[in-house]
Amino acid sequence: MEDTKNSLIIALQHHDIFDLESPNADTEVLPKGIAFSFIKAVHAVNQRLVSHNSSESLGFEVILIANECSEESKVKIVENVKHYGMEICKFYFCKKDEVIKTLQSNNVKLFLSTDSDEIYKALHADVPAAVLYDQTGVLDQLKVTFSGDIIGLPEDSLDSLADLGFSEAQIKTFKSAKICMKEFAGLIGEMRRRFGHENSPLCTCLITVWGSRNICLSALKTLGGWGLDVDEAFCMAGAPCSPILALVKPHILWDGGLHNLRDVPNFEL
């Protein structure tokens, strides 16, 4: 899809696009990473958008960011993107401490990573960031899942989470994530409305992990106010969410910073 002002720019890192931990990573043809199915699903959405309207200005652009790469590695990355026929619009090779600046200067709407620390740093710099989920099966439908636990909480109640054991840094992450989610959800909602309910190349889902039914309903209302009506919603109320995630198989998991809750195991909303 051509570069347009309405493009939803998503950034990926090269180590998620290619499996550099594989024993075959030293070969000329790099093994596929977990982002491969995501890139293919994004391509499917763009194709359907253009097939519906040849002058469509809304769509995804994927950019690749690689840091601390040798010249040889840079060439190999570009050649392998071409080899697999991946739709990567731009390549940025930078130093590790320049990644956030690169994301900001390119008006990235979503930075996807498998590394929770990278997501945490991006959110603290007010860069939209979410989990690139290990989804390897679906190539013709993009699946986006939002965690509603933070979305469903009123803004003035986020500070009270300190009473439940959350640190100031975690609460700041939640606030940044919620602000970042709003624009992305609106764009996804606008894109979703381009398709009918049946056989859509874009599927959205809401899941509340700890929150009550009221939190789930509040999250649905908030997303609706942002312009997104989700296809599916699940209220886990403290039950394990892994079975649902295994069923939904999202490519993108907007968890609102909840990946940092390892030290608050008994959190309840």
Side-chain angles (χ1 to χ4, degrees):
M1 180 161 287
E2 295 183 359
D3 207 336
T4 69
K5 64 179 181 179
N6 291 326
S7 294
L8 202 161
I9 301 173
I10 296 182
L12 296 168
Q13 296 212 71
H14 73 289
H15 54 69
D16 287 329
I17 295 178
F18 302 113
D19 184 4
L20 302 181
E21 300 300 320
S22 168
N24 299 321
D26 290 333
T27 61
E28 287 301 313
V29 178
L30 295 172
K32 300 173 186 175
I34 72 167
F36 182 80
S37 63
F38 166 78
I39 294 172
K40 290 298 183 181
V42 161
H43 178 60
V45 174
N46 283 344
Q47 280 190 316
R48 285 281 295 277
L49 285 168
V50 173
S51 68
H52 285 181
N53 180 5
S54 59
S55 60
E56 177 64 71
S57 62
L58 182 64
F60 292 102
E61 287 185 19
V62 178
I63 67 173
L64 181 150
I65 295 178
N67 56 73
E68 311 299 340
C69 287
S70 65
E71 291 302 319
E72 180 182 357
S73 295
K74 293 177 184 178
V75 173
K76 185 182 286 190
I77 289 169
V78 174
E79 288 181 344
N80 274 269
V81 165
K82 293 178 180 178
H83 170 77
Y84 286 115
M86 296 181 181
E87 282 205 341
I88 305 292
C89 298
K90 296 176 182 177
F91 298 82
Y92 292 93
F93 298 99
C94 60
K95 296 179 180 179
K96 191 171 184 178
D97 59 3
E98 295 175 342
V99 171
I100 296 297
K101 184 178 180 180
T102 301
L103 295 172
Q104 292 171 330
S105 63
N106 282 278
N107 193 29
V108 168
K109 301 300 184 184
L110 185 61
F111 169 55
L112 287 176
S113 177
T114 54
D115 187 329
S116 60
D117 290 331
E118 291 179 344
I119 297 170
Y120 180 82
K121 291 176 183 177
L123 288 173
H124 268 257
D126 296 324
V127 174
V131 176
L132 175 64
Y133 202 72
D134 190 359
Q135 213 289 49
T136 57
V138 181
L139 302 178
D140 59 354
Q141 185 183 56
L142 180 65
K143 295 190 173 185
V144 184
T145 294
F146 294 86
S147 174
D149 293 282
I150 299 304
I151 298 175
L153 280 176
E155 198 67 33
D156 56 4
S157 69
L158 287 174
D159 287 322
S160 65
L161 292 177
D163 298 333
L164 297 174
F166 290 93
S167 69
E168 184 177 340
Q170 285 175 323
I171 293 173
K172 183 180 185 301
T173 301
F174 299 154
K175 290 181 177 180
S176 297
K178 190 169 183 177
I179 292 171
C180 292
M181 278 184 184
K182 184 175 182 178
E183 182 180 9
F184 181 82
L187 289 169
I188 286 290
E190 182 180 351
M191 196 178 294
R192 180 67 184 84
R193 288 190 292 276
R194 299 287 203 274
F195 310 108
H197 290 291
E198 299 294 331
N199 196 30
S200 171
L202 177 60
C203 177
T204 58
C205 174
L206 175 75
I207 180 170
T208 50
V209 181
W210 288 278
S212 64
R213 180 183 295 180
N214 289 338
I215 292 294
C216 187
L217 291 174
S218 176
L220 285 169
K221 184 177 180 180
T222 298
L223 284 174
W226 292 348
L228 174 63
D229 294 320
V230 297
D231 297 294
E232 301 174 301
F234 302 92
C235 177
M236 306 310 296
C241 62
S242 53
I244 293 297
L245 291 177
L247 176 67
V248 176
K249 295 182 178 178
H251 295 92
I252 298 172
L253 178 59
W254 264 101
D255 70 352
L258 291 174
H259 54 272
N260 293 298
L261 294 187
R262 304 183 192 94
D263 55 337
V264 192
N266 296 318
F267 171 51
E268 295 180 358
L269 294 176

